[in-house]
Amino acid sequence: MSLNSEIERRRTFAIVSHPDAGKTTLTEKLLLFGGAIHVAGAVKSNKIKKTATSDFMEIERQRGISVATSVMGFEYSRYKVNILDTPGHQDFQEDTFRTLTAVDSVIIVIDAAKGVEPQTEKLMNVCRMRKTPVIIFINKMDRPADDTFTLLEDVEEQLKIITRPLSWPINSGPGFKGVYNLFNSTLQLFSPNIQEIDPGIKFNDLSDPELEKWLGTIDSDRLREDVELIEGVYPEFDTEEYLKGNMAPVFFGSALYNFGVQELLDAFVKIAPWPQPIIAQERIVDPYEESFSGFVFKIHANIDPNHRSRIAFVKVCSGRFERNKVYKHMRLNKTFRVSAPTAFMASKKEIIEESFPGDIIGIPDTGNFIIGDTLTQGEDLHFKGLPSFSPELFRYIENADPMKSKQLEKGIDQLMDEGVAQLFTSQLNNRKIIGCVGQLQFEVIQYRLEHEYGAKCRFEPIQMYKACWIESDNTAIMEEFKKRKVQRMAKDKRNRDVFMADSSFILDMAQQDFKEIRFKFTSEL
Ligand code: G4P
């Protein structure tokens, strides 16, 4: 198959949701359709339940599982579908955001009874920022839900995106009768017990009295009214607008009962984008280019605690990746050869000979890669746009076992490369500050330092509001700022200047006093 056809048949995407909306269930059902798994229950959630925040065995167990489910590839009809898994727990949202940089589209799952939840909103913000095309799946229709029009209004308002239903539910909860597929005018009847694929009942005209036979008079009339209203109120579905990230098609179903999932998948492969051009610092890289390029968006370390093994996950951006071919590691300015690249097919991984844009390959690593690294066939390229957000929680990290300072240093270094948290070094006293998004990250760091590196650490409180990366075109002003604020200056892991504001007042003052300085709350790796 030519490079072009390989690219155009690929669909690389992530399913995201607020915890418990049904991301794991939907993923599993999609894998069942793709034949990637054969029994329900094969994909375990890698979410960490609230009740288990201090259960580290659980975290460990789940980390082990999450490497197997990090990328799930399967063939569906003529398409190659790659689902990238994202952690459900909000304390690991940075990991999710990074994964979103490696996908070409996203499916957002919303619990019909709960509507848009805080995590859904945050994830949508990232999609909007990156103009990622989004499909919305309203799940759990077998449970009582709000009126559908109200629900969609809410979704539009809170997610700030134009929605367009492509299917429409007939009631919800115990009265849920199914969905009417507006895409191909078929009625899909719901039954919690039927698991096989139902082709649905085709209606060329909804006024057909046949509808009453299936839905009864009340629901038939209501569906006719609803459909008329949808056609009057909602704009036509426009694939171009969807691909630009301006319009989100909406589907309804019940992942648990495998209902509405195939319609979603069928529409998804048809409309979702194949790998798109990616912006590098130097130029825009087109997937159709002959030369291979890719970037590391995730590192999974110490999969086997007895061996210091890591896997760097690389998204192929252009060309054909080939096993044993020599490639260039841009940051290290070194060439290397990958003898055992792996591809991920559901719960197993296998060594592959070649890969194409949109694919994710796993490269066994002994510490040469960090998140954001670019690989090429020789050209100088740097992919950008992997955001590193300003953490919200800060602690000093101290050595609790002076005999193990080397181990501690190495552990911190590697965990930061993996993107577990961010490290800042105070310019005043050289103390190390760890910045996290969620409390759980501190616990994971402490636990992993001890169990994987044999080092003990202790966290100490620090009064801190925000870390901001600072830039200015005026070198003199920049030097003046750094001198004046020396007690609040730190370096990040890449030796960039960071202003550590201990309150919003201090930050406001600094912004007012130094107008020529740009204060950035995200940095690009
Ligand atoms: P998440 O990955 O988004 O966090 O959600 P997950 O799929 O784990 O689903 C959360 C809970 O919601 C699970 O129940 C799951 O069975 C249930 N669920 C998912 N889809 C549907 C649906 O369409 N209808 C209904 N009624 N429930 C649904 P749980 O009791 O928390 O877990 P489990 O013990 O069933 O695994």
Side-chain angles (χ1 to χ4, degrees), residues 17 19-25 47 139-140 142-143 254-256:
S17 77
D20 276 344
K23 175 175 76 77
T24 313
T25 314
K47 70 187 168 181
N139 190 29
K140 304 198 188 181
D142 56 294
R143 296 232 183 115
S254 165
L256 184 63

Side-chain angles (χ1 to χ4, degrees), residues 84-300:
L84 272 56
D85 194 27
T86 55
H89 198 289
Q90 59 170 6
D91 284 8
F92 300 103
Q93 57 181 281
E94 239 188 302
D95 201 358
T96 301
F97 295 155
R98 278 194 295 258
T99 299
L100 291 183
T101 63
V103 300
D104 297 299
S105 71
V106 160
I107 294 181
I108 295 185
V109 184
I110 293 177
D111 181 332
K114 295 189 176 148
V116 173
E117 296 176 86
Q119 198 63 357
T120 335
E121 230 175 308
K122 277 195 184 165
L123 291 160
M124 182 64 216
N125 287 343
V126 177
C127 293
R128 195 177 319 102
M129 219 165 74
R130 305 181 54 80
K131 299 210 168 301
T132 310
V134 162
I135 292 180
I136 294 172
F137 182 72
I138 310 249
N139 190 29
K140 304 198 188 181
M141 289 308 297
D142 56 294
R143 296 232 183 115
D146 248 3
D147 166 69
T148 312
F149 284 107
T150 318
L151 186 65
L152 286 187
E153 251 172 56
D154 249 33
V155 170
E156 281 212 344
E157 202 177 297
Q158 294 188 51
L159 297 188
K160 301 186 188 76
I161 187 155
I162 298 166
T163 57
R164 175 49 158 108
L166 289 187
S167 77
W168 194 255
I170 296 124
N171 305 329
S172 65
F176 181 50
K177 288 193 179 160
V179 295
Y180 179 66
N181 189 329
L182 297 153
F183 203 50
N184 59 13
S185 315
T186 49
L187 177 68
Q188 228 82 38
L189 291 171
F190 174 68
S191 158
N193 303 317
I194 294 176
Q195 293 286 315
E196 67 258 24
I197 297 156
D198 171 12
I201 307 144
K202 177 91 182 157
F203 281 90
N204 291 324
D205 184 352
L206 264 189
S207 61
D208 189 337
E210 173 88 358
L211 192 63
E212 267 83 356
K213 199 173 117 198
W214 301 104
L215 297 182
T217 317
I218 297 176
D219 288 329
S220 296
D221 285 348
R222 173 125 183 252
L223 178 65
R224 290 184 186 115
E225 270 170 37
D226 284 354
V227 171
E228 209 182 309
L229 196 57
I230 294 163
E231 256 125 49
V233 172
Y234 286 97
E236 278 279 308
F237 174 65
D238 181 343
T239 314
E240 283 304 307
E241 286 301 296
Y242 155 70
L243 291 174
K244 283 187 204 151
N246 296 333
M247 181 184 277
V250 183
F251 292 85
F252 294 82
S254 165
L256 184 63
Y257 294 110
N258 211 354
F259 185 77
V261 177
Q262 199 189 6
E263 293 72 50
L264 173 73
L265 182 57
D266 284 341
F268 167 78
V269 290
K270 266 199 206 110
I271 64 171
W274 58 75
Q276 296 297 300
I278 301 184
I279 302 170
Q281 232 165 48
E282 295 77 4
R283 63 183 184 85
I284 293 175
V285 178
D286 198 281
Y288 296 103
E289 291 173 20
E290 285 294 314
S291 297
F292 159 76
S293 67
F295 67 87
V296 177
F297 68 95
K298 182 183 177 113
I299 288 182
H300 204 102

Side-chain angles (χ1 to χ4, degrees), residues 411-453:
I412 295 178
D413 203 50
Q414 292 203 349
L415 291 183
M416 299 306 129
D417 283 352
E418 234 187 277
V420 173
Q422 292 184 59
L423 180 74
F424 305 97
T425 307
S426 162
Q427 295 300 278
L428 185 69
N429 53 20
N430 261 336
R431 286 180 82 180
K432 287 187 160 54
I433 301 164
I434 299 277
C436 289
V437 177
Q439 174 62 32
L440 192 52
Q441 280 172 285
F442 289 114
E443 297 176 33
V444 170
I445 290 169
Q446 198 163 32
Y447 177 85
R448 290 189 58 191
L449 284 173
E450 189 169 341
H451 288 81
E452 292 167 27
Y453 299 91

